[in-house]
Amino acid sequence: MSIENIIKGKVVEAVSSCYGQGIEEKTVQIQKTRREFEGDLTVVVFPFLRFSKKSPEETANDLGQFLSENIEAVSAFNVVKGFLNLVIDNSYWISVLNDAVKTENYGFTALAEGAKKVMIEYSSPNTNKPLHLGHIRNNLLGYSVAQILKANGYEVIKVNLVNDRGIHICKSMLAWLRFGEGETPESTGMKGDHLVGKYYVKFDQEYKKEIEALVANGMDADEAKKQAPLLLEAQEMLRKWEAGDEETVALWRKMNDWVLAGFDITYKKMGVDFDKVYFESNTYKQGKAIVEKGLADGVLYQKDTGSVWANLEADGLDHKLLLRDDGTSVYMTQDIGTAFERFDEFNIDEHIYVVGNEQNYHFQVLSLIMGKLGYEWHDKIQHLSYGMVELPEGKMKSREGTVVDADDLMQEMVNTARDTSKELGKLEGYSEEEAEEVFEKVAMGALKYFILKVDPKKNMMFNPKESIDFNGNTGPFIQYTYARIQSVVRKAIDAGFEVPETAVSNLKISEKESFLIQMVANYPTVVKEAGKETSPAQISNYVYDLVKEYNQFYHDHPIAKEENTDLRAFRLVLSKQIGEIIKSGMSLLGIGVPERM
């Protein structure tokens, strides 16, 4: 039992003993003592004044006296107005450290039988373009949340839905047919997703030219956008694809295969993976079948033009299109089909969709429609909505080819890590292969940490140069601290010092050392809270704060040069455990930590 829980229980006893009143444990408020006051934990006394009929100071003294006499770990107390500050004995904190050291996978909850089953969907790329900076945030966030939920003892299923059909896919296909002259990834040396993306941009360029020509001939601009020959041809291609036209399907399959092979390379470099991949080209059929049944059952309605809709006015929303006039499906149709397939196959307790905040309405509607269609699990659909990523130069646009390509950005990060490390001379004596491995870890650590340290709900500005700084709130700074700890432990062993499994408890330790152990003790709580809030930012902020505190300790306290054998051993045990927590916390963010830097 944690010291906080012990204190809460004893405060209940104290109020009963001192004032003859029974209170519930949940009414007891305990906080970390503010750094300017003596103490480790603070009990808020004000809620008990109505029982004591005394001043806040007198009440705090009564309770402090009771707690110091009845809790062995409380060595002293002091009162500041209505706050009771408790000093926890050093031996207690050292026992906490020793317990952490002896606990396998410290801070994590093991997967147990009957654990909550959570599916998390992330990535969801379109097969008409490569992954970009926005996809990077999506993938990193989804993968990290999956790791955090696993650490909380959940059974987690990571899935990807590839949007491989629709008008946008046909645009790339048509542009390649018209302007590609048979180019392939092999003939050009381009990754397949980059090659197909090139023709998505090409379509937009040629489409705009056609619109300009139609407007120049007197057509209204809005009408020109609808009547441009390229768009009409792309729409016809979509109809042919849905009708199963062999030639169209063969082209679609060939270009999709190019893109998917390219995605695999990007995912591997990014360090993310999936337990199952779904394709919209399969799930939309299930969606159409469910929509048609909903129409037959009178839950949905059909307009004279043939389109099928859901009426959501009773829920304070509008009408939602589910099938177009020509019978082709929309995004919502395939999401209906995909949701059905997943709940049917895996019997999940919760489904988290990691999708940008521009889709908040979409997932609200998805849950409502599934409820209207009679699916009891509709309220298990959760949307992890995140903000957009911008660059100092502004927003990105795929059609105009102004996106920041994920592959290019990751390579740029590796190059920057290489240049920075060489400037600082940090990798002398490394083989070329060892150095490249470190550059990769530092680069991806910088990218991932910079993105994941921001609350998912917030928009963010990504600055590559800032992210790779070896000082401040960055991935490389944390990685460097981990490497420093490994170096301290190695040097101590090389000097013949023993690094024991645990530290002796009868030591006088500093306030900084006591505070570091309290941070160690708080790690399991942080992991739980990050899971509850589905927020990797909570892990990031905790690890950074831990690293900051450790570096101050390292600066002020000798370790290998400490002459007191027991104190030196304690500091090595403390350092080693903090290193383990840094490694553990960073793993929840999908970040590796080099042993040397």
Side-chain angles (χ1 to χ4, degrees):
M1 187 183 292
S2 72
I3 189 66
E4 288 89 347
N5 287 335
I6 292 170
I7 292 168
K8 282 182 179 181
K10 290 297 179 184
V11 168
V12 171
E13 287 182 29
V15 172
S16 175
S17 173
C18 297
Y19 312 123
Q21 295 288 333
I23 62 168
E24 291 187 36
E25 204 171 284
K26 64 183 180 183
T27 63
V28 182
Q29 299 174 45
I30 297 179
Q31 307 166 346
K32 296 284 183 194
T33 302
R34 286 165 58 179
R35 300 294 285 272
E36 62 265 33
F37 300 120
E38 183 191 3
D40 300 303
L41 297 169
T42 297
V43 180
V44 181
V45 172
F46 296 109
F48 314 127
L49 301 185
R50 62 196 175 103
F51 306 128
S52 70
K53 313 294 187 202
K54 295 181 178 181
S55 70
E57 288 80 4
E58 288 175 306
T59 305
N61 271 300
D62 288 345
L63 298 179
Q65 196 66 43
F66 184 94
L67 296 178
S68 63
E69 289 171 3
N70 289 277
I71 303 176
E72 191 179 342
V74 176
S75 60
F77 72 90
N78 63 82
V79 176
V80 179
K81 296 182 178 176
F83 298 94
L84 169 61
N85 300 324
L86 303 174
V87 179
I88 307 301
D89 190 71
N90 287 340
S91 62
Y92 173 80
W93 291 125
I94 294 172
S95 73
V96 166
L97 173 64
N98 289 339
D99 286 345
V101 169
K102 289 184 283 188
T103 303
E104 192 177 357
N105 291 323
Y106 177 67
F108 291 9
T109 303
L111 177 66
E113 194 174 339
K116 184 176 180 181
K117 191 185 289 186
V118 180
M119 180 172 282
I120 181 161
E121 176 194 293
Y122 55 95
S123 200
S124 306
N126 297 328
T127 55
N128 62 332
K129 55 191 174 186
L131 303 178
H132 56 61
L133 177 56
H135 289 115
I136 289 180
R137 188 177 198 189
N138 180 296
N139 279 282
L140 299 185
L141 183 56
Y143 181 82
S144 179
V145 168
Q147 297 301 99
I148 291 167
L149 293 180
K150 281 183 191 174
N152 277 282
Y154 296 168
E155 182 182 347
V156 179
I157 305 160
K158 298 174 289 184
V159 297
N160 186 3
L161 173 67
V162 178
N163 296 302
D164 62 342
R165 60 163 294 282
I167 191 67
H168 51 297
I169 308 299
C170 291
K171 287 176 181 179
S172 293
M173 290 162 59
L174 181 59
W176 182 83
L177 269 182
R178 285 281 201 90
F179 313 109
E181 297 179 351
E183 281 191 342
T184 66
E186 292 74 24
S187 70
T188 59
M190 289 177 76
K191 274 177 82 231
D193 50 335
H194 287 236
L195 180 65
V196 173
K198 168 182 163 184
Y199 287 100
Y200 183 59
V201 173
K202 180 68 172 172
F203 178 95
D204 193 58
Q205 291 168 346
E206 298 299 324
Y207 173 55
K208 283 176 178 171
K209 287 179 191 174
E210 289 187 349
I211 292 168
E212 286 173 14
L214 290 172
V215 170
N217 286 328
M219 188 179 285
D220 173 74
D222 287 339
E223 190 62 23
K225 287 175 186 174
K226 295 175 189 172
Q227 297 301 324
L230 263 179
L231 179 64
L232 295 176
E233 201 173 335
Q235 289 170 342
E236 176 58 24
M237 182 178 271
L238 177 60
R239 279 188 288 273
K240 286 166 73 176
W241 182 88
E242 289 208 9
D245 176 72
E246 286 186 15
E247 193 176 331
T248 305
V249 169
L251 174 62
W252 165 81
R253 189 165 284 120
K254 175 169 73 174
M255 293 182 72
N256 265 357
D257 286 347
W258 292 347
V259 175
L260 295 173
F263 285 168
D264 285 344
I265 294 167
T266 308
Y267 288 140
K268 187 175 180 184
K269 181 145 189 163
M270 208 181 286
V272 303
D273 59 9
F274 310 95
D275 299 309
K276 182 161 183 175
V277 178
Y278 291 83
F279 294 91
E280 188 187 339
S281 54
N282 294 327
T283 61
Y284 89 100
K285 295 171 188 171
Q286 180 70 62
K288 284 180 83 169
I290 292 170
V291 168
E292 284 160 4
K293 184 178 184 302
L295 179 62
D297 292 344
V299 178
L300 307 174
Y301 73 94
Q302 190 167 31
K303 289 188 176 180
D304 294 340
T305 55
S307 57
V308 179
W309 299 72
N311 182 354
L312 305 175
E313 287 180 349
D315 302 286
L317 300 175
D318 52 9
H319 294 245
K320 180 64 184 175
L321 173 68
L322 299 178
L323 288 175
R324 297 188 186 93
D325 293 347
D326 60 3
T328 56
S329 59
V330 294
Y331 272 125
M332 186 61 72
T333 324
Q334 61 86 7
D335 270 341
I336 288 170
T338 309
F340 171 83
E341 284 190 16
R342 290 170 177 174
F343 278 94
D344 188 57
E345 181 181 0
F346 290 100
N347 190 27
I348 47 182
D349 298 305
E350 186 177 355
H351 190 327
I352 301 172
Y353 291 86
V354 182
V355 183
N357 55 18
E358 77 280 7
Q359 294 294 329
N360 288 351
Y361 168 80
H362 178 89
F363 288 100
Q364 183 186 3
V365 169
L366 175 63
S367 178
L368 281 171
I369 290 175
M370 298 314 293
K372 288 182 185 300
L373 291 169
Y375 297 103
E376 292 180 1
W377 42 256
H378 72 97
D379 58 351
K380 295 178 180 178
I381 290 171
Q382 303 295 327
H383 177 204
L384 202 176
S385 171
Y386 64 89
M388 294 297 97
V389 187
E390 295 182 6
L391 291 158
E393 298 81 36
K395 291 186 179 179
M396 305 175 289
K397 293 179 183 173
S398 298
R399 278 173 295 189
E400 295 176 14
T402 59
V403 299
V404 176
D405 179 82
D407 295 313
D408 293 345
L409 177 60
M410 289 191 289
Q411 189 54 52
E412 182 191 328
M413 295 294 291
V414 173
N415 295 342
T416 305
R418 186 185 296 112
D419 294 343
T420 305
S421 294
K422 284 179 178 174
E423 279 174 29
L424 297 172
K426 289 188 181 292
L427 292 177
E428 290 172 9
Y430 273 52
S431 71
E432 196 172 320
E433 192 178 336
E434 288 172 328
E436 282 300 323
E437 194 178 320
V438 173
F439 300 149
E440 190 88 26
K441 273 187 181 171
V442 171
M444 294 312 297
L447 174 63
K448 292 178 180 185
Y449 184 83
F450 198 89
I451 284 176
L452 292 173
K453 73 178 180 179
V454 179
D455 184 313
K457 298 179 191 71
K458 294 180 179 176
N459 288 349
M460 66 168 293
M461 181 84 71
F462 179 70
N463 188 318
K465 288 187 175 66
E466 274 182 34
S467 73
I468 212 153
D469 196 336
F470 278 74
N471 296 299
N473 190 5
T474 66
F477 173 64
I478 293 168
Q479 290 172 316
Y480 184 66
T481 301
Y482 174 81
R484 166 181 275 172
I485 290 171
Q486 304 320 300
S487 174
V488 166
V489 173
R490 277 196 305 271
K491 286 177 180 174
I493 293 169
D494 291 345
F497 299 136
E498 185 187 355
V499 183
E501 285 296 311
T502 56
V504 296
S505 59
N506 59 338
L507 282 173
K508 180 173 173 55
I509 60 175
S510 69
E511 188 181 328
K512 174 65 72 179
E513 290 165 323
S514 167
F515 187 73
L516 275 172
I517 297 173
Q518 290 174 59
M519 291 193 78
V520 167
N522 200 37
Y523 181 53
T525 304
V526 172
V527 173
K528 277 190 175 61
E529 195 60 28
K532 185 178 164 188
E533 298 295 324
T534 55
S535 175
Q538 300 206 16
I539 301 290
S540 308
N541 295 332
Y542 166 83
V543 173
Y544 174 61
D545 288 342
L546 179 65
V547 160
K548 262 197 316 185
E549 292 294 334
Y550 180 81
N551 278 303
Q552 287 174 9
F553 155 78
Y554 177 83
H555 183 265
D556 297 338
H557 296 70
I559 300 177
K561 290 183 180 177
E562 172 58 53
E563 293 180 1
N564 181 311
T565 308
D566 286 341
L567 192 54
R568 180 176 63 229
F570 159 76
R571 286 175 183 166
L572 285 168
V573 170
L574 177 62
S575 297
K576 196 173 175 185
Q577 181 59 24
I578 287 170
E580 287 302 309
I581 291 176
I582 293 169
K583 185 176 185 177
S584 169
M586 294 294 262
S587 77
L588 295 179
L589 305 176
I591 298 173
V593 282
E595 296 295 309
R596 295 191 297 158
M597 274 178 74

